[in-house]
């Protein structure tokens, strides 16, 4: 038997897949009026941007320290507020605690609605209601934390050992007492881990909330881009990168110790 007879090349299937992908790309370009020629023609502009971007203005760093600190403060406060609200709502969003399908369904629906709102849209709505500034950023981060952490918490609660719960029910404990003394001790380490995880995410997210006026270093980043000060933009991005890297490292170290 020849080697060629043992190898099966489905070239026609691969060709069909390639043709479908090409057709999808062409159709997408047609619908969106994309012109790849403009991308090629924009080469000189990209070069000019990179030339200025790769020459960071390090003398601008002292100006960025205070906005960066305010960004971190905004993340801390928003995370703590969102987490404080998420914990009781998450306990109410699971039948392990409530033993009531209706109550659980109501709270899960509320949390699902909160989770569906994108960060920037939520920030824009908050700015329109409250006004420009860090307070809008704090509210945005708090609501975002509520949506993310609450799901993690009630999913964790649903995996707890039922033994302590049944024992507490047998002696006539109330639902609140069961939540405090039978469920909370089993999920406490996970709750702390979720808190730091949310803070890690929020530090990254808070840097771009300034685009819609929610305060922090994002406001300066947006204004620098508007003024075409790409030398300052590169410094801002470097500072954000360093801060986020440090926060990620500390958060991961804490979560490992809690695991």
């Amino acid at each position: 038997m020849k080697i060629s007879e043992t190898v099966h090349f489905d070239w026609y299937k691969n060709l069909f897949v390639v043709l479908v992908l090409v057709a999808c790309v062409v159709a997408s370009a047609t619908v969106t009026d994309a012109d790849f020629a403009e991308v090629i023609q924009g080469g000189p502009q990209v070069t000019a941007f990179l030339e200025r971007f790769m020459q960071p203005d390090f003398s601008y760093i002292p100006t960025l320290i205070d906005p960066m600190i305010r960004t971190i403060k905004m993340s801390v406060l928003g995370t703590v507020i969102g987490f404080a609200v998420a914990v009781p709502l998450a306990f109410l969003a699971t039948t392990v605690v409530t033993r009531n399908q209706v109550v659980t369904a109501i709270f899960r629906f509320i949390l699902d609605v909160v989770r569906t709102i994108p960060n920037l849209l939520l920030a824009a709505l908050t700015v329109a209601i409250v006004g420009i500034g860090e307070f809008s950023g704090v509210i945005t981060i708090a609501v975002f934390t509520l949506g993310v952490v609450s799901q993690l918490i009630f999913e964790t609660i649903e995996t707890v050992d039922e033994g302590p719960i049944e024992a507490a029910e047998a002696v006539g404990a109330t639902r609140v007492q069961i939540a405090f003394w039978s469920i909370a001790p089993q999920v406490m380490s996970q709750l702390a881990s979720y808190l730091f995880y949310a803070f890690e995410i929020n530090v990254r997210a808070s840097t771009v909330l300034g685009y819609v006026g929610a305060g922090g270093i994002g406001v300066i980043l947006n204004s620098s881009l508007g003024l075409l000060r790409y030398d300052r933009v590169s410094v801002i991005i470097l500072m954000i990168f360093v801060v986020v890297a440090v926060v990620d490292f500390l958060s991961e170290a804490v979560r490992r110790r809690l695991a």
Side-chain angles (χ1 to χ4, degrees), residues 112-190:
D112 287 341
V113 172
V114 172
R115 258 195 322 275
T116 58
I117 305 176
N119 246 4
L120 289 178
L121 175 59
L122 179 60
L125 293 174
T126 307
V127 168
I129 297 172
V130 180
I132 296 175
E134 280 79 11
F135 185 59
S136 299
V138 170
I139 295 177
T140 301
I141 292 173
V143 175
F144 175 73
T145 302
L146 168 62
V148 173
V149 173
S150 59
Q151 182 181 13
L152 295 174
I153 294 175
F154 74 65
E155 288 179 350
T156 301
I157 293 174
E158 291 180 341
T159 63
V160 299
D161 182 11
E162 292 279 350
I165 300 175
E166 295 172 355
E169 289 175 339
V171 297
T174 64
R175 305 315 307 174
V176 175
Q177 290 172 331
I178 292 173
F180 268 100
W181 303 113
S182 299
I183 299 175
Q186 298 189 58
V187 299
M188 197 60 68
S189 61
Q190 290 97 322

Side-chain angles (χ1 to χ4, degrees), residues 5 21 93 107 110 115 145 173 176 181 183 196 199 201 227 255 258:
E5 295 177 354
L21 291 176
F107 280 97
I110 294 173
R115 258 195 322 275
T145 302
V176 175
W181 303 113
I183 299 175
F196 284 98
F199 175 64
I201 295 175
L227 295 172
R255 286 189 283 116
L258 292 173

